[in-house]
Amino acid sequence: MTWMTRLLVTVCTLTVAPAWATDYQEVERRLGDLVADGKLTLDQARVMLDALQEHDDKEGEQDAGSQEGKPDPVETFYEYLESVGPQLAEAVEAGEVTEQQAWEKWLTIKEQKIVPWLKQLVDTGGLSEAEGWGVWFKIEMTETGERLKSAVRRGELTEQEAMEKWQAYEAEMDAKWAELQVKLDGQELAE
């Protein structure tokens, strides 16, 4: 499996599968596995489970007035997000683009399509702000992990150096996540 495929499979596994699950015990198990593997902190898993419950509650309210046959914008977003990595990976494997060009294309897609789309989903209530930030943090962390793995494969970093960089990055993201949660909790109290 190539770097880009792993990137999007990880992102989509963390976002799509739990977001559509109805078996909360299964979701809790999956999140527990991610915590055990060191891919999430316990606080992040707890926030994600809370966000899923909030999303399911909203979805239940919206289902009563939804139109038949109209595509779900959140589902469409996740489907698109899931398709990007494999397409870029195939282009690299076919020799159509270099890995560097694929990364540049990924960044362009992320900045010009994924970010605005994610913001729109939050603005229109398709995702809560916490869910939107959760998706964004997962994308960023997955991307950084894949970049570090790529640097090791190319010999630019040793595994030890990559692990140290990852741990520093993870600590930084955990701090940002905690800070964001305080901010979001404050906004909820103000509303």
Side-chain angles (χ1 to χ4, degrees):
M1 186 179 297
T2 64
W3 63 273
M4 191 57 76
T5 302
R6 282 193 304 272
L7 168 68
L8 272 298
V9 167
T10 302
V11 168
C12 292
T13 299
L14 294 175
T15 57
V16 177
W20 295 335
T22 55
D23 182 355
Y24 285 98
Q25 288 179 334
E26 176 65 15
V27 173
E28 286 178 16
R29 185 192 65 73
R30 287 182 185 180
L31 290 173
D33 290 345
L34 292 170
V35 170
D37 291 343
K39 294 179 181 174
L40 287 176
T41 66
L42 186 56
D43 287 339
Q44 289 170 328
R46 195 171 290 125
V47 167
M48 290 171 67
L49 192 59
D50 291 345
L52 174 62
Q53 180 65 49
E54 180 182 326
H55 176 74
D56 283 354
D57 291 347
K58 278 186 191 176
E59 205 170 72
E61 293 169 9
Q62 292 173 354
D63 283 347
S66 65
Q67 298 175 353
E68 284 293 318
K70 189 174 180 181
D72 177 13
V74 175
E75 184 176 333
T76 303
F77 170 77
Y78 286 133
E79 287 172 358
Y80 176 77
L81 189 60
E82 185 176 349
S83 73
V84 174
Q87 289 174 4
L88 291 173
E90 287 174 19
V92 171
E93 289 174 14
E96 297 168 4
V97 296
T98 65
E99 185 174 331
Q100 179 62 34
Q101 290 169 327
W103 275 114
E104 290 168 4
K105 186 162 180 75
W106 162 250
L107 290 176
T108 299
I109 291 168
K110 183 173 77 168
E111 292 170 5
Q112 294 180 2
K113 187 158 187 172
I114 293 172
V115 170
W117 198 349
L118 188 55
K119 286 180 180 178
Q120 179 188 19
L121 288 172
V122 171
D123 290 345
T124 59
L127 294 173
S128 70
E129 189 171 355
E131 289 170 319
W133 278 111
V135 170
W136 180 251
F137 271 70
K138 288 177 271 185
I139 290 171
E140 289 295 295
M141 290 189 74
T142 302
E143 178 183 324
T144 298
E146 290 303 318
R147 284 186 178 277
L148 290 170
K149 290 176 191 174
S150 179
V152 170
R153 281 192 304 274
R154 290 189 313 270
E156 296 172 3
L157 292 174
T158 66
E159 285 187 23
Q160 180 63 33
E161 291 169 331
M163 183 56 72
E164 289 170 6
K165 287 182 178 284
W166 172 254
Q167 289 170 343
Y169 178 76
E170 188 175 37
E172 176 186 335
M173 291 299 278
D174 285 346
K176 286 181 180 179
W177 183 257
E179 183 179 313
L180 177 64
Q181 290 308 304
V182 169
K183 178 184 172 195
L184 291 173
D185 289 345
Q187 287 176 356
E188 287 178 10
L189 293 175
E191 293 173 2

